[in-house]
Amino acid sequence: MATRSEGEPARRSQRELQKRRTQAKLLAVRTQLRAELGRDPTKGEIAKAAGVAPGLVTRYWDRIGVGELPEVYLETLTRKIGERPADEPPVVTLGRVLLDFVEKLTAEELDALRREVTAQAASAEEEVLRYHTLNVRWRPLLSAALAQRRRSSEATEEEDKAVGRFIVIILDATARWQENNFNGDVVAPTRDALKAAIPAFGN
């Protein structure tokens, strides 16, 4: 049986980081071009301004075309949910998973996240689409992850409501970070958002 080499997780992490950087760069270029042109730029225009091949823009279009949050973030969160105790209250699980995620961001990952969120906050359209991504695409998958943590196929009403609160916390943390023009790390605003939504969380 083939075994995983010690360097594989590091290589995978670097690939994921490069994907985040590329997506953030293309999203930022798209936002800048739209402001300059007064309309949505074409894939070719984005590729030329970014100095990349048109095929690369096409590969990322489903995400940068609508300013969505990277799918890798969702994958990370759902995996971490499965690692939490099954008897832990759902909203506490989600809060601890989110805090663990932002606390472990490397400097490069934080910079990539900053570029992504800054670009997505550039217009009301991107902010609405971010909300849509969280509520329509992420919510059922996060609820399912909570259910699977209990080895169940269906989420309870409590788990679904917890995910709803979790989404509000993410949006609140983003808004708090934006108040500082996305300067500094994202840990402090995330902690503040968690404490505001879950008073007992600070304990």
Side-chain angles (χ1 to χ4, degrees):
M1 181 181 294
T3 59
R4 178 183 296 175
S5 67
E6 292 182 0
E8 184 176 340
R11 288 197 299 271
R12 184 173 61 183
S13 178
Q14 284 300 312
R15 286 196 299 270
E16 294 298 347
L17 177 57
Q18 186 56 48
K19 287 180 181 179
R20 296 185 196 182
R21 287 174 177 163
T22 300
Q23 182 173 320
K25 176 183 178 181
L26 295 178
L27 182 56
V29 168
R30 170 185 177 265
T31 300
Q32 180 181 351
L33 284 177
R34 190 172 60 182
E36 294 174 356
L37 301 173
R39 60 171 172 79
D40 280 321
T42 65
K43 295 179 184 179
E45 290 170 333
I46 294 175
K48 182 177 180 181
V52 301
L56 185 64
V57 178
T58 298
R59 185 186 310 170
Y60 284 87
W61 186 254
D62 286 345
R63 293 178 183 172
I64 68 159
V66 297
E68 286 190 356
L69 296 166
E71 201 73 13
V72 66
Y73 296 158
L74 175 62
E75 294 169 359
T76 299
L77 293 174
T78 53
R79 184 182 72 253
K80 289 180 177 295
I81 287 171
E83 297 170 355
R84 299 298 304 178
D87 60 348
E88 187 174 58
V91 71
V92 173
T93 288
L94 293 168
R96 297 202 180 286
V97 162
L98 177 61
L99 189 58
D100 179 71
F101 173 73
V102 297
E103 286 180 336
K104 291 183 178 177
L105 289 172
T106 65
E108 289 182 303
E109 290 171 333
L110 177 63
D111 188 50
L113 177 62
R114 182 181 290 109
R115 289 196 302 269
E116 289 163 358
V117 177
T118 300
Q120 292 162 3
S123 73
E125 178 191 16
E126 266 87 2
E127 291 185 344
V128 168
L129 287 166
R130 182 197 300 152
Y131 181 84
H132 179 272
T133 296
L134 289 169
N135 272 284
V136 176
R137 298 187 61 179
W138 284 34
R139 185 165 185 165
L141 294 177
L142 290 171
S143 295
L146 286 171
Q148 290 170 7
R149 182 186 61 150
R150 296 182 293 101
R151 301 184 184 280
S152 173
S153 59
E154 293 187 10
T156 64
E157 182 178 356
E158 179 188 10
E159 287 169 336
D160 183 63
K161 287 183 177 180
V163 175
R165 291 178 66 189
F166 180 61
I167 290 170
V168 171
I169 291 169
I170 291 177
L171 295 172
D172 183 27
T174 303
R176 290 169 187 266
W177 198 23
Q178 186 174 2
E179 289 177 358
N180 294 324
N181 295 318
F182 301 110
N183 292 321
D185 63 39
V186 70
V187 176
T190 300
R191 284 185 182 277
D192 291 342
L194 285 167
K195 290 178 182 178
I198 314 170
F201 191 82
N203 300 325

